[in-house]
Amino acid sequence: QVQLVESGGGLVQPGGSLKLSCAASGRTFSIYKMAWFRQAPGKEREFVAAIGWTASGITSYADYADSVKGRFQISGDSAKRAVFLQMNSLKPEDTAVYCCAAGPNGVRRSPAEYDYWGQGTQVTVSS
């Protein structure tokens, strides 16, 4: 079993920045991609960003939703199975619960392709 623990959410003003972190523990050997999804009240869960690694631990891709491209940056530590999301130029529409997800290599934007999920961390962008 794998456990994912997120941290770093909070309240920030529009235009501000936050950094989210997610660490995996347990039987992490099957994890070759990690991602962030978000869900705002009354909306469906949506893909934010994903990062993937090769079997040797080299980053093979970083993928972003169009809505965050140029503002958010995903990074990770393949050895520790950890992922980070640096969020800059935050907008009120970025307000949501952000969840970390992990899974085997493959399709990266569909929640169904991830086996493990964290509890989520609230990000609120408001003045």
Side-chain angles (χ1 to χ4, degrees), residues 31-35 47 49-54 57-64 74-76 83 101-110 113-114:
I31 294 174
Y32 285 95
K33 68 176 186 280
M34 296 184 75
F47 169 79
I51 188 168
W53 300 291
T54 66
I58 298 172
T59 299
S60 55
Y61 62 80
D63 189 22
Y64 299 90
I74 191 169
S75 59
V83 65
N105 220 337
V107 174
R108 62 193 74 163
R109 295 194 174 198
S110 170
E113 298 296 323
Y114 291 84

Side-chain angles (χ1 to χ4, degrees), residues 43-112:
K43 294 187 177 181
E44 293 188 356
R45 180 182 293 175
E46 66 171 342
F47 169 79
V48 176
I51 188 168
W53 300 291
T54 66
S56 58
I58 298 172
T59 299
S60 55
Y61 62 80
D63 189 22
Y64 299 90
D66 289 343
S67 58
V68 306
K69 200 172 292 183
R71 299 189 298 122
F72 291 10
Q73 182 172 15
I74 191 169
S75 59
D77 184 330
S78 60
K80 297 180 179 179
R81 291 302 192 268
V83 65
F84 311 96
L85 187 68
Q86 177 66 46
M87 304 185 294
N88 301 322
S89 302
L90 282 161
K91 304 175 181 180
E93 51 264 45
D94 294 318
T95 295
V97 175
Y98 284 70
C99 288
C100 174
N105 220 337
V107 174
R108 62 193 74 163
R109 295 194 174 198
S110 170

Side-chain angles (χ1 to χ4, degrees), residues 11-14 92 125-127:
L11 172 65
V12 64
Q13 292 187 342
V125 185
S126 175
S127 55

